Amino acid sequence: METRSAGLRIHFEVLGDGPPVLLLHGYPLSSHLWDDVVGHLSDAYRLIVPDLRGHGRSEAGDTASMEEMADDVLEVLAAADEDRPVVLVGMSMGGYVSLAFARKYPQRVRALVLVDSRTAADSDEAAVARHRTAERVLREGTGFVADEMVGKLFAPGAPEELKQRWRERMAATSPRGVMAALRGMAARPDSGALLRQLGVPVLVIVGEEDGITPVEESRAIAQASGGRLEIIPGAGHMAAAEKPDAVAAALRSFLDELGSQL
Ligand code: MLT
């Protein structure tokens, strides 16, 4: 399905029926991240799965702040005729978008799940590095980003075929979309206090071998927010693609526990 947000075409899928769950992918990925997770949940939940602007089948804009992407998500919910509070599940950059959505529209959030993500803002060095990468993307295109990311995203034991599939998908992401997302992530605020104040149930899922958002950082987020931590053995930053059954099981037990209150 498609909708428009701030003039941009935003693609999304809706699967299943039941309480609404929004699944947001990371950078520079796409909604395919959840391909092997959704089948474990769609018998009991209504899954809304967008491609964030500039990623997958959604159009890129000149900018992609986390707040703009949160507004895109609100448009997707409207296009899906969904006006109930949703469980937000955000992987990495999708987690940053979830936090921006929760900051802007707290009444629309039933619960929050961060998957291989973080609440902290970028350090000054990290933000500068993102701006440098954005400029290089402008000159060289997205291929080098895909090469660099594929080396960082997966656990050492991840299947070569899975890595190559994602390398191709990342390389196909538009330079404009990648640049805008990099600049948007560099500008995002710290959301630690927000998560503590939100007062909704929190689940933090992390791959045991995640080298981008490590287990210790996830443990601290779970502790600070009174949330639960699930560590996925043998997975890296791409736990949802590397170990979809385990990620789905963690999601399923959290969602089922929210149960009748949803
Ligand atoms: C992601 O997977 O979305 C990115 O690694 C997030 C980031 O670069 O901070």
Side-chain angles (χ1 to χ4, degrees), residues 32-54:
H32 284 302
L33 179 73
W34 307 108
D35 279 357
D36 296 324
V37 170
V38 292
H40 297 273
L41 306 174
S42 58
D43 62 309
Y45 297 95
R46 185 168 193 237
L47 308 176
I48 302 168
V49 197
D51 283 324
L52 294 169
R53 64 165 68 186

Side-chain angles (χ1 to χ4, degrees), residues 146-160:
D147 289 338
E148 281 180 12
M149 289 301 285
V150 91
K152 294 194 228 166
L153 287 172
F154 294 89
E160 218 32 59

